[in-house]
Amino acid sequence: MIYFEKIIYFILFFIPFSFALNPQMDVDIAFLRVLISFIFIFFIFYVLYNNIPVSLNKFKNKQVLFFIAFFLFTLMSSFWAINPVWSIRKFLFFATLFPIYFLIIFFINSKEKLNKASKFFILGGFLASLIGIFQFLSQFIFKLDSIYNFWTYNVAMFIYGQNFGSVVVQNQSWFVNIGGKDYFRAISLFPDPHTFALYLGILIPFTIGFFFYNNRKKKFFYILSILVMLLALLFTFSRGAYFGLILSLIFIIGLYFFYFKIKLNKKFFLFTPVVVVMLLLSFSNSVFGERFSSSFSLSDISNTGRIQIWKTSIDIFLDNPIFGVGLGNLPIFFDPTTSVKSPINAHNTYLDILSELGLIGFLLFIGFFIYSFIFLSYKKDHFNFLRFGIIWSLVWFLIHSFFETSIFSLQVFTSLCFVLALSLILKDKINGQVIK
């Protein structure tokens, strides 16, 4: 069984580095999806062949129930979708990734394993952030055209695959124009800065929580990791991420005092909000501040375009309020001539789910978040910073999801499965150890 655990650690580290396999010219499949599916199937055969008793008690809870029900409903939606093939393609994306949720719950059964898994998760994010920072700073050394060409012809097709890579390049959002000047945004190895920012939005709060939870070792590494991730987040120029950072920080400070009723912790206050606020103030009169302030401008084309997309998505939902139009079928209602490669989405996770899966799908989706928060706030007198960090990650994710369609990213969804699984693990004792 130890080999399965090591593979899980590798998967958590490898999340931002997954590359595409091309079994056929028009078929791309991420290596991570293949690996997770193979390990899950192999584990099932291994257990059956060796007649190993497996206790399913830890899976008997409402979070798991909502999790399974949501993904079964996404498959069912193909029955009423205009194009059922598109629904099944989107379902297969989930089906090849969501087993990691169950594998983590099953194998992370001790405090030592939880710490190891968290460290590998953080290390992967740290290295991915360094790539993003180098990427952004390189434009001040090399020409923008050189950077674009290098990323397009030497990186994109390998990392994203020939098929998906061509879609990414044709619809790229790698550049931002501020004050009449173009800047190459930090994307690391992600297809766009938005998914990179969503990934960092899960990782940064988790790393802060883990630092305070396990701060006796490698303090310098975790402090450095947090600062590097924050800097990489800034370089994405993602306004949704900026909103997620500010609003989730306000929420989490209130939760820290008014719900958990924790006395003033000097470490927390001298490190977390001060660092974030200083970063924001330092760049308030820079291109980053200008980018953030553009969020409130109705003359910004991206803002008006997004508002129009939201209005159309709401209309589609109101026409199909209970079951939606079927998973993956929203693009058809925007453009009936579009293809399966279309990048069209609602630019809002909740509107995407409401329009494609209706109220039923939306309630199932929200359900496993609600129970995650219930588990994490369970026995509030037994406060620990890892629980706190995961709550912050989920709140940040939910806020940022107002501005992006988040769950169809390989990196974001796998990371989300990890923190959702940990919320369940932390609810109970692990092998007799109370996680404090």
Side-chain angles (χ1 to χ4, degrees), residues 156-214:
M157 298 306 168
F158 171 71
I159 297 293
Y160 316 136
Q162 296 293 323
N163 193 42
F164 180 56
S166 61
V167 175
V168 170
V169 171
Q170 291 169 13
N171 300 276
Q172 54 86 10
S173 55
W174 299 346
F175 293 91
V176 62
N177 186 280
I178 302 175
K181 185 177 180 179
D182 289 328
Y183 294 91
F184 194 93
R185 306 163 73 174
I187 61 172
S188 189
L189 299 177
F190 291 65
D192 59 74
H194 310 294
T195 51
F196 183 36
L198 279 159
Y199 167 73
L200 291 174
I202 294 173
L203 194 67
I204 291 170
F206 179 86
T207 306
I208 292 173
F210 189 74
F211 166 72
F212 288 112
Y213 165 74
N214 193 41

Short mmCIF file of all heavy atoms in Angstrom, two decimals, residues 156-214:
data_model
loop_
_atom_site.label_atom_id
_atom_site.label_comp_id
_atom_site.label_asym_id
_atom_site.label_seq_id
_atom_site.Cartn_x
_atom_site.Cartn_y
_atom_site.Cartn_z
N ALA A 156 3.63 25.47 -25.43
CA ALA A 156 2.17 25.27 -25.47
C ALA A 156 1.77 23.92 -26.04
O ALA A 156 0.95 23.20 -25.45
CB ALA A 156 1.51 26.40 -26.26
N MET A 157 2.33 23.56 -27.18
CA MET A 157 1.90 22.33 -27.85
C MET A 157 2.30 21.07 -27.06
O MET A 157 1.62 20.05 -27.12
CB MET A 157 2.47 22.25 -29.27
CG MET A 157 1.98 23.38 -30.16
SD MET A 157 0.16 23.48 -30.21
CE MET A 157 -0.07 25.08 -31.01
N PHE A 158 3.39 21.16 -26.30
CA PHE A 158 3.81 20.02 -25.48
C PHE A 158 2.98 19.92 -24.20
O PHE A 158 2.47 18.85 -23.85
CB PHE A 158 5.29 20.14 -25.13
CG PHE A 158 5.75 19.12 -24.12
CD1 PHE A 158 5.87 17.78 -24.47
CD2 PHE A 158 6.04 19.49 -22.81
CE1 PHE A 158 6.27 16.83 -23.54
CE2 PHE A 158 6.46 18.56 -21.88
CZ PHE A 158 6.56 17.23 -22.25
N ILE A 159 2.84 21.04 -23.50
CA ILE A 159 2.12 21.03 -22.22
C ILE A 159 0.63 20.83 -22.43
O ILE A 159 -0.01 20.02 -21.75
CB ILE A 159 2.37 22.34 -21.45
CG1 ILE A 159 3.85 22.48 -21.08
CG2 ILE A 159 1.51 22.40 -20.19
CD1 ILE A 159 4.34 21.45 -20.08
N TYR A 160 0.04 21.55 -23.37
CA TYR A 160 -1.42 21.53 -23.54
C TYR A 160 -1.89 20.49 -24.55
O TYR A 160 -3.06 20.14 -24.57
CB TYR A 160 -1.93 22.90 -23.98
CG TYR A 160 -1.32 24.06 -23.24
CD1 TYR A 160 -0.89 25.21 -23.91
CD2 TYR A 160 -1.15 24.02 -21.86
CE1 TYR A 160 -0.33 26.29 -23.23
CE2 TYR A 160 -0.58 25.08 -21.17
CZ TYR A 160 -0.17 26.21 -21.86
OH TYR A 160 0.41 27.26 -21.19
N GLY A 161 -0.98 20.02 -25.43
CA GLY A 161 -1.36 19.08 -26.47
C GLY A 161 -1.62 19.80 -27.78
O GLY A 161 -1.95 20.99 -27.80
N GLN A 162 -1.47 19.10 -28.89
CA GLN A 162 -1.61 19.71 -30.20
C GLN A 162 -3.01 20.30 -30.42
O GLN A 162 -3.18 21.39 -30.94
CB GLN A 162 -1.31 18.67 -31.30
CG GLN A 162 0.10 18.15 -31.30
CD GLN A 162 1.11 19.22 -31.67
OE1 GLN A 162 0.85 20.07 -32.52
NE2 GLN A 162 2.28 19.18 -31.05
N ASN A 163 -4.01 19.57 -30.00
CA ASN A 163 -5.40 19.97 -30.22
C ASN A 163 -5.80 21.14 -29.32
O ASN A 163 -6.19 22.21 -29.77
CB ASN A 163 -6.32 18.77 -29.99
CG ASN A 163 -7.72 19.01 -30.49
OD1 ASN A 163 -7.94 19.57 -31.55
ND2 ASN A 163 -8.70 18.56 -29.72
N PHE A 164 -5.69 20.91 -28.00
CA PHE A 164 -6.05 21.95 -27.04
C PHE A 164 -5.08 23.14 -27.12
O PHE A 164 -5.47 24.28 -26.95
CB PHE A 164 -6.06 21.37 -25.62
CG PHE A 164 -6.42 22.35 -24.55
CD1 PHE A 164 -7.62 23.06 -24.60
CD2 PHE A 164 -5.56 22.58 -23.48
CE1 PHE A 164 -7.96 23.97 -23.60
CE2 PHE A 164 -5.88 23.49 -22.48
CZ PHE A 164 -7.08 24.18 -22.54
N GLY A 165 -3.81 22.84 -27.41
CA GLY A 165 -2.81 23.90 -27.51
C GLY A 165 -3.14 24.90 -28.60
O GLY A 165 -2.96 26.11 -28.41
N SER A 166 -3.65 24.41 -29.73
CA SER A 166 -4.01 25.33 -30.82
C SER A 166 -5.18 26.22 -30.41
O SER A 166 -5.23 27.40 -30.77
CB SER A 166 -4.36 24.54 -32.08
OG SER A 166 -5.48 23.69 -31.86
N VAL A 167 -6.13 25.66 -29.62
CA VAL A 167 -7.26 26.45 -29.13
C VAL A 167 -6.77 27.51 -28.16
O VAL A 167 -7.21 28.67 -28.19
CB VAL A 167 -8.32 25.54 -28.45
CG1 VAL A 167 -9.43 26.38 -27.84
CG2 VAL A 167 -8.89 24.55 -29.44
N VAL A 168 -5.86 27.12 -27.27
CA VAL A 168 -5.30 28.06 -26.29
C VAL A 168 -4.61 29.22 -26.99
O VAL A 168 -4.83 30.39 -26.65
CB VAL A 168 -4.31 27.34 -25.35
CG1 VAL A 168 -3.54 28.35 -24.51
CG2 VAL A 168 -5.04 26.36 -24.45
N VAL A 169 -3.79 28.91 -27.98
CA VAL A 169 -3.03 29.96 -28.69
C VAL A 169 -3.97 30.88 -29.45
O VAL A 169 -3.79 32.11 -29.46
CB VAL A 169 -2.00 29.31 -29.64
CG1 VAL A 169 -1.36 30.37 -30.53
CG2 VAL A 169 -0.93 28.58 -28.83
N GLN A 170 -5.00 30.33 -30.08
CA GLN A 170 -5.94 31.14 -30.85
C GLN A 170 -6.79 32.04 -29.97
O GLN A 170 -7.24 33.11 -30.41
CB GLN A 170 -6.85 30.24 -31.70
CG GLN A 170 -6.13 29.53 -32.83
CD GLN A 170 -7.00 28.46 -33.47
OE1 GLN A 170 -8.21 28.39 -33.24
NE2 GLN A 170 -6.39 27.60 -34.28
N ASN A 171 -7.02 31.62 -28.73
CA ASN A 171 -7.89 32.39 -27.83
C ASN A 171 -7.14 32.82 -26.57
O ASN A 171 -7.74 32.98 -25.51
CB ASN A 171 -9.10 31.54 -27.43
CG ASN A 171 -9.94 31.10 -28.61
OD1 ASN A 171 -10.79 31.84 -29.08
ND2 ASN A 171 -9.69 29.89 -29.10
N GLN A 172 -5.83 33.02 -26.69
CA GLN A 172 -5.01 33.30 -25.52
C GLN A 172 -5.34 34.65 -24.88
O GLN A 172 -5.74 35.60 -25.56
CB GLN A 172 -3.52 33.22 -25.88
CG GLN A 172 -3.10 34.09 -27.05
CD GLN A 172 -2.75 35.51 -26.66
OE1 GLN A 172 -2.64 35.85 -25.49
NE2 GLN A 172 -2.59 36.35 -27.65
N SER A 173 -5.17 34.67 -23.56
CA SER A 173 -5.34 35.90 -22.79
C SER A 173 -4.04 36.17 -22.02
O SER A 173 -4.06 36.58 -20.87
CB SER A 173 -6.52 35.76 -21.82
OG SER A 173 -6.36 34.62 -20.98
N TRP A 174 -2.92 35.91 -22.70
CA TRP A 174 -1.61 36.01 -22.05
C TRP A 174 -1.15 37.45 -21.87
O TRP A 174 -0.26 37.72 -21.07
CB TRP A 174 -0.56 35.25 -22.86
CG TRP A 174 -0.84 33.78 -23.00
CD1 TRP A 174 -1.74 33.04 -22.28
CD2 TRP A 174 -0.21 32.88 -23.91
NE1 TRP A 174 -1.70 31.74 -22.70
CE2 TRP A 174 -0.78 31.59 -23.69
CE3 TRP A 174 0.77 33.01 -24.88
CZ2 TRP A 174 -0.38 30.47 -24.41
CZ3 TRP A 174 1.18 31.89 -25.60
CH2 TRP A 174 0.60 30.64 -25.36
N PHE A 175 -1.75 38.37 -22.63
CA PHE A 175 -1.31 39.77 -22.57
C PHE A 175 -2.37 40.65 -21.94
O PHE A 175 -3.57 40.37 -22.03
CB PHE A 175 -0.99 40.29 -23.98
CG PHE A 175 0.19 39.64 -24.63
CD1 PHE A 175 0.04 38.52 -25.43
CD2 PHE A 175 1.47 40.15 -24.44
CE1 PHE A 175 1.13 37.90 -26.02
CE2 PHE A 175 2.57 39.55 -25.03
CZ PHE A 175 2.40 38.42 -25.82
N VAL A 176 -1.94 41.70 -21.29
CA VAL A 176 -2.85 42.70 -20.77
C VAL A 176 -2.30 44.07 -21.16
O VAL A 176 -1.08 44.30 -21.12
CB VAL A 176 -2.98 42.58 -19.23
CG1 VAL A 176 -1.65 42.81 -18.53
CG2 VAL A 176 -4.03 43.53 -18.70
N ASN A 177 -3.19 44.95 -21.57
CA ASN A 177 -2.77 46.30 -21.96
C ASN A 177 -3.14 47.27 -20.85
O ASN A 177 -4.31 47.41 -20.49
CB ASN A 177 -3.44 46.72 -23.26
CG ASN A 177 -2.93 48.06 -23.77
OD1 ASN A 177 -3.33 49.13 -23.29
ND2 ASN A 177 -2.03 48.01 -24.73
N ILE A 178 -2.13 47.93 -20.30
CA ILE A 178 -2.34 48.89 -19.22
C ILE A 178 -1.60 50.17 -19.56
O ILE A 178 -0.39 50.15 -19.80
CB ILE A 178 -1.84 48.34 -17.87
CG1 ILE A 178 -2.55 47.03 -17.53
CG2 ILE A 178 -2.08 49.37 -16.76
CD1 ILE A 178 -2.04 46.36 -16.28
N GLY A 179 -2.34 51.26 -19.62
CA GLY A 179 -1.72 52.54 -19.95
C GLY A 179 -1.11 52.56 -21.33
O GLY A 179 -0.10 53.24 -21.56
N GLY A 180 -1.68 51.80 -22.24
CA GLY A 180 -1.19 51.77 -23.61
C GLY A 180 0.00 50.85 -23.83
O GLY A 180 0.54 50.79 -24.94
N LYS A 181 0.39 50.09 -22.82
CA LYS A 181 1.53 49.18 -22.94
C LYS A 181 1.10 47.75 -22.67
O LYS A 181 0.33 47.49 -21.75
CB LYS A 181 2.64 49.58 -21.97
CG LYS A 181 3.91 48.75 -22.11
CD LYS A 181 5.00 49.24 -21.17
CE LYS A 181 6.26 48.38 -21.33
NZ LYS A 181 7.36 48.84 -20.43
N ASP A 182 1.60 46.82 -23.50
CA ASP A 182 1.28 45.40 -23.32
C ASP A 182 2.24 44.74 -22.35
O ASP A 182 3.45 44.99 -22.39
CB ASP A 182 1.35 44.67 -24.67
CG ASP A 182 0.20 45.06 -25.59
OD1 ASP A 182 -0.89 45.37 -25.08
OD2 ASP A 182 0.41 45.07 -26.82
N TYR A 183 1.68 43.87 -21.49
CA TYR A 183 2.48 43.09 -20.55
C TYR A 183 2.13 41.62 -20.71
O TYR A 183 0.96 41.27 -20.88
CB TYR A 183 2.22 43.52 -19.11
CG TYR A 183 2.67 44.92 -18.78
CD1 TYR A 183 1.80 46.00 -18.93
CD2 TYR A 183 3.96 45.17 -18.32
CE1 TYR A 183 2.21 47.30 -18.63
CE2 TYR A 183 4.38 46.46 -18.02
CZ TYR A 183 3.50 47.51 -18.18
OH TYR A 183 3.91 48.79 -17.89
N PHE A 184 3.17 40.79 -20.66
CA PHE A 184 2.94 39.34 -20.67
C PHE A 184 2.64 38.91 -19.24
O PHE A 184 3.46 39.09 -18.35
CB PHE A 184 4.18 38.61 -21.20
CG PHE A 184 3.92 37.17 -21.55
CD1 PHE A 184 3.56 36.82 -22.84
CD2 PHE A 184 4.02 36.17 -20.60
CE1 PHE A 184 3.32 35.49 -23.18
CE2 PHE A 184 3.78 34.84 -20.91
CZ PHE A 184 3.42 34.50 -22.21
N ARG A 185 1.48 38.32 -19.02
CA ARG A 185 1.02 37.95 -17.69
C ARG A 185 1.64 36.62 -17.25
O ARG A 185 1.97 35.77 -18.09
CB ARG A 185 -0.50 37.83 -17.68
CG ARG A 185 -1.18 39.06 -18.20
CD ARG A 185 -2.63 38.84 -18.58
NE ARG A 185 -3.49 38.69 -17.42
CZ ARG A 185 -4.81 38.59 -17.50
NH1 ARG A 185 -5.42 38.64 -18.68
NH2 ARG A 185 -5.55 38.46 -16.41
N ALA A 186 1.80 36.45 -15.97
CA ALA A 186 2.31 35.18 -15.44
C ALA A 186 1.26 34.10 -15.63
O ALA A 186 0.13 34.23 -15.16
CB ALA A 186 2.66 35.33 -13.96
N ILE A 187 1.62 33.05 -16.34
CA ILE A 187 0.73 31.91 -16.52
C ILE A 187 1.38 30.60 -16.07
O ILE A 187 0.72 29.57 -16.01
CB ILE A 187 0.26 31.77 -17.99
CG1 ILE A 187 1.45 31.54 -18.92
CG2 ILE A 187 -0.55 32.97 -18.43
CD1 ILE A 187 1.05 31.21 -20.35
N SER A 188 2.70 30.65 -15.78
CA SER A 188 3.46 29.46 -15.43
C SER A 188 3.26 28.42 -16.53
O SER A 188 3.44 28.74 -17.70
CB SER A 188 3.02 28.94 -14.06
OG SER A 188 3.89 27.92 -13.60
N LEU A 189 2.85 27.21 -16.19
CA LEU A 189 2.61 26.17 -17.19
C LEU A 189 1.12 25.97 -17.43
O LEU A 189 0.70 24.97 -18.03
CB LEU A 189 3.25 24.85 -16.74
CG LEU A 189 4.77 24.90 -16.56
CD1 LEU A 189 5.29 23.56 -16.05
CD2 LEU A 189 5.48 25.26 -17.86
N PHE A 190 0.32 26.92 -17.00
CA PHE A 190 -1.13 26.86 -17.15
C PHE A 190 -1.54 27.46 -18.50
O PHE A 190 -0.80 28.25 -19.08
CB PHE A 190 -1.81 27.62 -16.01
CG PHE A 190 -1.65 26.97 -14.67
CD1 PHE A 190 -0.41 26.83 -14.06
CD2 PHE A 190 -2.77 26.49 -13.99
CE1 PHE A 190 -0.27 26.23 -12.82
CE2 PHE A 190 -2.64 25.88 -12.74
CZ PHE A 190 -1.39 25.75 -12.16
N PRO A 191 -2.72 27.12 -19.00
CA PRO A 191 -3.13 27.66 -20.30
C PRO A 191 -3.44 29.15 -20.29
O PRO A 191 -3.40 29.80 -21.34
CB PRO A 191 -4.37 26.84 -20.66
CG PRO A 191 -4.87 26.32 -19.36
CD PRO A 191 -3.66 26.10 -18.50
N ASP A 192 -3.75 29.71 -19.14
CA ASP A 192 -4.07 31.13 -19.07
C ASP A 192 -3.83 31.64 -17.65
O ASP A 192 -3.71 30.83 -16.71
CB ASP A 192 -5.53 31.39 -19.49
CG ASP A 192 -6.53 30.65 -18.61
OD1 ASP A 192 -6.73 31.07 -17.47
OD2 ASP A 192 -7.09 29.63 -19.07
N PRO A 193 -3.75 32.95 -17.47
CA PRO A 193 -3.47 33.49 -16.13
C PRO A 193 -4.60 33.29 -15.14
O PRO A 193 -4.38 33.29 -13.92
CB PRO A 193 -3.23 34.99 -16.40
CG PRO A 193 -3.95 35.27 -17.68
CD PRO A 193 -3.84 34.01 -18.48
N HIS A 194 -5.82 33.11 -15.65
CA HIS A 194 -6.97 32.97 -14.75
C HIS A 194 -6.93 31.65 -13.99
O HIS A 194 -7.18 31.61 -12.79
CB HIS A 194 -8.27 33.09 -15.55
CG HIS A 194 -8.30 34.28 -16.45
ND1 HIS A 194 -8.32 35.57 -15.97
CD2 HIS A 194 -8.29 34.40 -17.81
CE1 HIS A 194 -8.33 36.43 -16.98
NE2 HIS A 194 -8.31 35.73 -18.10
N THR A 195 -6.63 30.55 -14.70
CA THR A 195 -6.56 29.25 -14.02
C THR A 195 -5.35 29.19 -13.10
O THR A 195 -5.41 28.58 -12.03
CB THR A 195 -6.53 28.09 -15.03
OG1 THR A 195 -5.50 28.33 -16.00
CG2 THR A 195 -7.86 27.96 -15.74
N PHE A 196 -4.25 29.83 -13.50
CA PHE A 196 -3.08 29.89 -12.63
C PHE A 196 -3.44 30.64 -11.34
O PHE A 196 -3.09 30.21 -10.23
CB PHE A 196 -1.93 30.59 -13.35
CG PHE A 196 -0.65 30.66 -12.58
CD1 PHE A 196 -0.25 29.63 -11.74
CD2 PHE A 196 0.19 31.77 -12.68
CE1 PHE A 196 0.94 29.69 -11.02
CE2 PHE A 196 1.38 31.84 -11.97
CZ PHE A 196 1.75 30.80 -11.13
N ALA A 197 -4.17 31.74 -11.47
CA ALA A 197 -4.58 32.52 -10.29
C ALA A 197 -5.55 31.74 -9.42
O ALA A 197 -5.48 31.81 -8.18
CB ALA A 197 -5.21 33.84 -10.74
N LEU A 198 -6.46 30.98 -10.02
CA LEU A 198 -7.39 30.16 -9.25
C LEU A 198 -6.64 29.10 -8.45
O LEU A 198 -6.95 28.83 -7.28
CB LEU A 198 -8.40 29.49 -10.19
CG LEU A 198 -9.58 30.36 -10.64
CD1 LEU A 198 -10.19 29.81 -11.92
CD2 LEU A 198 -10.64 30.43 -9.55
N TYR A 199 -5.65 28.49 -9.08
CA TYR A 199 -4.81 27.49 -8.40
C TYR A 199 -4.08 28.12 -7.22
O TYR A 199 -4.07 27.57 -6.12
CB TYR A 199 -3.84 26.91 -9.42
CG TYR A 199 -2.71 26.09 -8.85
CD1 TYR A 199 -2.95 24.82 -8.33
CD2 TYR A 199 -1.40 26.57 -8.86
CE1 TYR A 199 -1.90 24.05 -7.82
CE2 TYR A 199 -0.35 25.81 -8.36
CZ TYR A 199 -0.60 24.55 -7.85
OH TYR A 199 0.43 23.80 -7.35
N LEU A 200 -3.50 29.29 -7.43
CA LEU A 200 -2.80 29.98 -6.35
C LEU A 200 -3.76 30.41 -5.25
O LEU A 200 -3.39 30.45 -4.07
CB LEU A 200 -2.05 31.20 -6.90
CG LEU A 200 -0.85 30.91 -7.80
CD1 LEU A 200 -0.30 32.20 -8.39
CD2 LEU A 200 0.24 30.17 -7.04
N GLY A 201 -5.00 30.73 -5.63
CA GLY A 201 -6.00 31.12 -4.64
C GLY A 201 -6.36 29.99 -3.69
O GLY A 201 -6.80 30.23 -2.55
N ILE A 202 -6.21 28.75 -4.13
CA ILE A 202 -6.40 27.60 -3.24
C ILE A 202 -5.14 27.35 -2.43
O ILE A 202 -5.19 27.06 -1.23
CB ILE A 202 -6.76 26.33 -4.07
CG1 ILE A 202 -8.12 26.50 -4.74
CG2 ILE A 202 -6.75 25.09 -3.19
CD1 ILE A 202 -8.48 25.38 -5.69
N LEU A 203 -4.00 27.52 -3.08
CA LEU A 203 -2.72 27.14 -2.48
C LEU A 203 -2.21 28.12 -1.43
O LEU A 203 -1.69 27.71 -0.38
CB LEU A 203 -1.68 27.00 -3.60
CG LEU A 203 -0.39 26.30 -3.25
CD1 LEU A 203 -0.64 24.83 -2.96
CD2 LEU A 203 0.62 26.42 -4.38
N ILE A 204 -2.35 29.42 -1.67
CA ILE A 204 -1.78 30.42 -0.76
C ILE A 204 -2.39 30.33 0.64
O ILE A 204 -1.65 30.23 1.64
CB ILE A 204 -1.93 31.84 -1.34
CG1 ILE A 204 -1.02 32.00 -2.56
CG2 ILE A 204 -1.58 32.91 -0.29
CD1 ILE A 204 -1.26 33.29 -3.35
N PRO A 205 -3.72 30.36 0.79
CA PRO A 205 -4.28 30.25 2.15
C PRO A 205 -3.93 28.92 2.81
O PRO A 205 -3.68 28.86 4.02
CB PRO A 205 -5.79 30.37 1.92
CG PRO A 205 -5.94 31.01 0.59
CD PRO A 205 -4.77 30.54 -0.21
N PHE A 206 -3.92 27.85 2.00
CA PHE A 206 -3.57 26.54 2.55
C PHE A 206 -2.14 26.55 3.10
O PHE A 206 -1.88 26.03 4.19
CB PHE A 206 -3.70 25.46 1.47
CG PHE A 206 -3.34 24.08 1.94
CD1 PHE A 206 -4.28 23.29 2.57
CD2 PHE A 206 -2.05 23.59 1.79
CE1 PHE A 206 -3.95 22.01 3.04
CE2 PHE A 206 -1.71 22.33 2.25
CZ PHE A 206 -2.65 21.55 2.87
N THR A 207 -1.22 27.18 2.36
CA THR A 207 0.18 27.24 2.79
C THR A 207 0.33 28.07 4.05
O THR A 207 1.10 27.72 4.96
CB THR A 207 1.06 27.81 1.67
OG1 THR A 207 0.86 27.06 0.46
CG2 THR A 207 2.53 27.75 2.04
N ILE A 208 -0.42 29.17 4.13
CA ILE A 208 -0.38 30.01 5.34
C ILE A 208 -0.89 29.21 6.54
O ILE A 208 -0.28 29.22 7.62
CB ILE A 208 -1.21 31.29 5.14
CG1 ILE A 208 -0.55 32.20 4.10
CG2 ILE A 208 -1.37 32.05 6.46
CD1 ILE A 208 -1.38 33.41 3.71
N GLY A 209 -2.00 28.50 6.36
CA GLY A 209 -2.54 27.68 7.44
C GLY A 209 -1.57 26.59 7.86
O GLY A 209 -1.37 26.34 9.05
N PHE A 210 -0.94 25.95 6.87
CA PHE A 210 -0.01 24.86 7.17
C PHE A 210 1.24 25.39 7.87
O PHE A 210 1.81 24.73 8.74
CB PHE A 210 0.38 24.13 5.89
CG PHE A 210 1.17 22.87 6.13
CD1 PHE A 210 0.56 21.72 6.60
CD2 PHE A 210 2.54 22.84 5.88
CE1 PHE A 210 1.29 20.55 6.83
CE2 PHE A 210 3.28 21.68 6.11
CZ PHE A 210 2.64 20.54 6.58
N PHE A 211 1.67 26.61 7.52
CA PHE A 211 2.83 27.22 8.16
C PHE A 211 2.60 27.39 9.66
O PHE A 211 3.44 27.03 10.49
CB PHE A 211 3.13 28.57 7.52
CG PHE A 211 4.09 29.42 8.32
CD1 PHE A 211 5.43 29.11 8.38
CD2 PHE A 211 3.63 30.54 9.01
CE1 PHE A 211 6.31 29.89 9.13
CE2 PHE A 211 4.49 31.32 9.76
CZ PHE A 211 5.84 30.99 9.82
N PHE A 212 1.46 27.91 10.04
CA PHE A 212 1.16 28.12 11.45
C PHE A 212 0.86 26.81 12.17
O PHE A 212 1.14 26.65 13.35
CB PHE A 212 -0.01 29.08 11.61
CG PHE A 212 0.34 30.50 11.28
CD1 PHE A 212 -0.20 31.11 10.17
CD2 PHE A 212 1.23 31.21 12.05
CE1 PHE A 212 0.12 32.42 9.85
CE2 PHE A 212 1.57 32.51 11.75
CZ PHE A 212 1.01 33.12 10.64
N TYR A 213 0.28 25.85 11.43
CA TYR A 213 -0.05 24.55 11.99
C TYR A 213 1.20 23.71 12.25
O TYR A 213 1.29 22.97 13.22
CB TYR A 213 -0.99 23.82 11.02
CG TYR A 213 -1.15 22.35 11.25
CD1 TYR A 213 -1.90 21.86 12.31
CD2 TYR A 213 -0.57 21.43 10.37
CE1 TYR A 213 -2.06 20.49 12.50
CE2 TYR A 213 -0.73 20.07 10.55
CZ TYR A 213 -1.47 19.60 11.61
OH TYR A 213 -1.63 18.26 11.79
N ASN A 214 2.19 23.86 11.37
CA ASN A 214 3.38 23.02 11.44
C ASN A 214 4.64 23.88 11.40
O ASN A 214 5.58 23.62 10.67
CB ASN A 214 3.37 22.04 10.25
CG ASN A 214 4.38 20.93 10.40
OD1 ASN A 214 4.55 20.39 11.47
ND2 ASN A 214 5.07 20.61 9.31
#
